[in-house]
Amino acid sequence: RTDSINQVAVSLAVAAAGVGNDPIAWYGDLKRVFVLPPGELVPLLKAPDMTLSGSTFEGVTPAEQWFGRMVIESPDGGRFMEIAIRKDILSFNRSGAPRDGFETLEITMGGHSPQNELLATRVPTLDTPIPYSFFGADVAFRRVLRSD
């Protein structure tokens, strides 16, 4: 079942999760618990200027899901930004990483050439500039302090 509510503006934010393990979407007082097929990229949000898709992986049980990958695409599908959990997260060595480098994420952006070849580049650090012209919007990364 799909819910669709027209929005004037869309604001996306990622914050530390509370206690619980169910994927939940909130809109005002309306709460929806949902389960996604693991490993399958599924559209989560469609807006006139972008589509946000995500794929999950299972936790300890199939009922526990975590997002492992999110993809933001331009309306024509020609440009994208992928945010994924590092595959080597358990063996990641912070001492060899660049200053302001991503420690748990791998960020890739790209698109298709006029010959329809896939062109992609890794975004290595928080301060890597993303041109406004890439999505027609500002894209920025910042470190969020955890309060645990």
Side-chain angles (χ1 to χ4, degrees):
R1 180 173 126 161
T2 303
D3 290 328
S4 178
I5 300 171
N6 289 330
Q7 300 290 314
V8 174
V10 174
S11 176
L12 300 173
V14 177
V19 176
N21 60 3
D22 296 321
I24 298 174
W26 289 90
Y27 179 76
D29 292 335
L30 183 62
K31 173 183 162 182
R32 293 274 190 235
V33 177
F34 60 94
V35 176
L36 299 174
E40 184 178 323
L41 196 60
V42 176
L44 303 171
L45 173 77
K46 287 190 177 196
D49 52 353
M50 62 159 252
T51 297
L52 172 67
S53 300
S55 69
T56 61
F57 61 92
E58 292 179 351
V60 177
T61 69
E64 182 181 79
Q65 291 189 325
W66 299 89
F67 280 101
R69 177 176 167 227
M70 295 215 157
V71 178
I72 302 168
E73 289 183 288
S74 60
D76 63 2
R79 295 173 311 279
F80 70 89
M81 180 170 290
E82 178 184 80
I83 301 105
I85 301 296
R86 294 180 69 105
K87 300 290 184 224
D88 65 347
I89 195 167
L90 294 177
S91 63
F92 175 72
N93 182 349
R94 179 185 285 173
S95 66
R99 184 171 193 249
D100 284 334
F102 294 101
E103 296 178 9
T104 57
L105 301 176
E106 291 180 338
I107 314 287
T108 305
M109 58 186 275
H112 294 278
S113 72
Q115 296 79 28
N116 206 28
E117 298 171 307
L118 179 63
L119 306 171
T121 187
R122 181 77 37 96
V123 179
T125 62
L126 291 166
D127 58 356
T128 301
I130 310 296
Y132 181 88
S133 61
F134 185 70
F135 273 126
D138 290 314
V139 177
F141 300 98
R142 69 182 178 102
R143 197 169 305 283
V144 177
L145 299 176
R146 295 174 61 162
S147 61
D148 31 284

